[in-house]
Amino acid sequence: MTKSPASDREQIAEYWRTEISDISPGKIAFRGYAIEDLIAGVSFPAMIWLMLRGELPTRTQERLLEAALVASVDHGPHAPSIAISKIATSCGLPLNGAMASALNTLDDVHGGAGEQAIELFDDILERSKSASSIEEATSVALDVFISEHGKYIPGYGHRFHPVDPRSGVLLGLVDEAVAKNEVGGSYALAARAIETVLEARKGRRIPMNIDGATAVIYGELGFAAPLARGVFCLSRAVGILAHAWEQTSRKERNKGPIPRSFDYRYDGPARRLLPAAR
Ligand SMILES: CC(C)(COP(=O)(O)OP(=O)(O)OC[C@H]1O[C@@H](n2cnc3c(N)ncnc32)[C@H](O)[C@@H]1OP(=O)(O)O)[C@@H](O)C(=O)NCCC(=O)NCCS
């Protein structure tokens, strides 16, 4: 079947249809705003919001997003993502390769737990509509989560910090925004209910970590759960880049996970001969 050039053009235009970028010779605009105006008038967090959400944020929304972005940039070389950026750089990867390798470690256990946390908060909030208290809804939601995913609740606990110093500040900013009626506060409520129920169950506090606290912010701001992980990656990319760049100035090549003078333990079979019959 022969198609007219006009209908081909239409088909291709439809194929790459987007509501985000409007680019033609000499013209660049995003979500309807000219890039010249955005460069002059918009912060990077506001630009992220515009690209992901379609409209510009209010000042409070921008401030909360910025706080979450600042809080997650780095956690030093003992964070797997940062360690991998340094290892990859020492093996000769360029910055983009090192960044891609490091970003790939941000999954459910490290850095990506915010996505699961928002889903859990949503489940609690849904259940609380028919429960006698938020704690009751939380208890049921935790049982369901644990039966499906295991005992670790996303957004709580830390390998390193008894109390994550970032969480309190972030929740404080959410509380301020709730007091001004600028966000609803339900995600903060659900997140705190998890801390309370976990403490009652475990007999000790398992405090909210950075992924939990930023998930509260992303939830309050109306971000879809997968975007919590995506936006975390944007933030952590800053630390990953900084450490990869610092590593390029070191004379280390092929940096392993432990210094060469240390050993790991081998606990497989003792040395043996190959079977003769092979
Ligand atoms: C981050 C994490 C891996 C650190 O784990 P850890 O401090 O090494 O904890 P351990 O595996 O040694 O567990 C110690 C105890 O605390 C409990 N615990 C730790 N984190 C927990 C969590 N998130 N939910 C429930 N219980 C938790 C464990 O169940 C265990 O208790 P038990 O002995 O009664 O079973 C873990 O807390 C976790 O997986 N959290 C969820 C994922 C997450 O939020 N990641 C982002 C981290 S910034």
Side-chain angles (χ1 to χ4, degrees):
M1 185 176 114
T2 354
K3 287 182 189 159
S4 72
S7 91
D8 282 355
R9 270 202 299 277
E10 184 51 40
Q11 198 187 334
I12 291 167
E14 175 62 20
Y15 190 70
W16 290 109
R17 182 170 51 88
T18 176
E19 295 176 8
I20 302 172
S21 330
D22 181 10
I23 314 236
S24 53
K27 180 173 172 259
I28 302 172
F30 298 104
R31 304 285 196 186
Y33 294 109
I35 191 66
E36 295 86 341
D37 295 340
L38 292 169
I39 291 168
V42 163
S43 71
F44 192 51
M47 190 66 195
I48 293 171
W49 184 291
L50 177 68
M51 294 297 279
L52 295 175
R53 306 288 293 271
E55 297 296 335
L56 288 165
T58 65
R59 283 281 172 223
T60 299
Q61 290 168 334
E62 180 179 352
R63 177 69 198 106
L64 283 175
L65 175 60
E66 184 177 45
L69 288 166
V70 168
S72 320
V73 285
D74 185 19
H75 197 259
H78 43 228
S81 49
I82 302 295
I84 283 170
S85 80
K86 293 172 76 64
I87 290 172
T89 306
S90 79
C91 294
L93 263 75
L95 290 176
N96 58 319
M99 291 179 77
S101 305
L103 285 170
N104 272 326
T105 64
L106 299 176
D107 212 308
D108 289 351
V109 179
H110 170 48
E115 178 175 350
Q116 280 187 319
I118 293 193
E119 285 165 0
L120 179 60
F121 300 156
D122 279 335
D123 188 34
I124 292 170
L125 295 173
E126 189 54 39
R127 287 175 194 280
S128 70
K129 290 177 190 162
S130 54
S132 62
S133 69
I134 185 99
E135 285 77 17
E136 182 190 297
T138 302
S139 202
V140 178
L142 285 181
D143 288 341
V144 172
F145 183 91
I146 290 166
S147 71
E148 289 172 1
H149 303 279
K151 67 178 182 179
Y152 291 99
I153 306 306
Y156 296 82
H158 203 281
R159 211 161 39 92
F160 197 76
H161 301 296
V163 174
D164 192 322
R166 300 162 290 190
S167 309
V169 187
L170 293 171
L171 284 183
L173 292 173
V174 172
D175 290 342
E176 277 173 31
V178 173
K180 288 192 259 165
N181 276 329
E182 287 175 331
V183 296
S186 56
Y187 285 85
L189 207 64
R192 285 179 167 130
I194 292 179
E195 271 188 331
T196 307
V197 173
L198 273 183
E199 185 173 3
R201 287 185 179 189
K202 293 271 184 189
R204 68 188 176 82
R205 206 161 175 74
I206 301 177
M208 202 182 307
N209 61 38
I210 180 72
D211 286 10
T214 51
V216 169
I217 290 191
Y218 298 134
E220 295 291 348
L221 293 177
F223 280 91
L227 283 178
R229 181 174 303 197
V231 176
F232 184 96
C233 290
L234 293 179
S235 164
R236 182 52 61 90
V238 175
I240 289 170
L241 174 60
H243 283 276
W245 178 239
E246 181 188 63
Q247 186 65 39
T248 59
S249 66
R250 304 275 164 86
K251 296 288 175 250
E252 294 163 319
R253 284 162 57 82
N254 204 350
K255 187 183 178 75
I258 46 174
R260 250 178 284 182
S261 50
F262 287 85
D263 239 335
Y264 61 88
R265 177 174 300 112
Y266 169 72
D267 57 5
R271 291 292 169 97
R272 50 185 166 165
L273 297 174
L274 277 172
R278 290 185 88 247

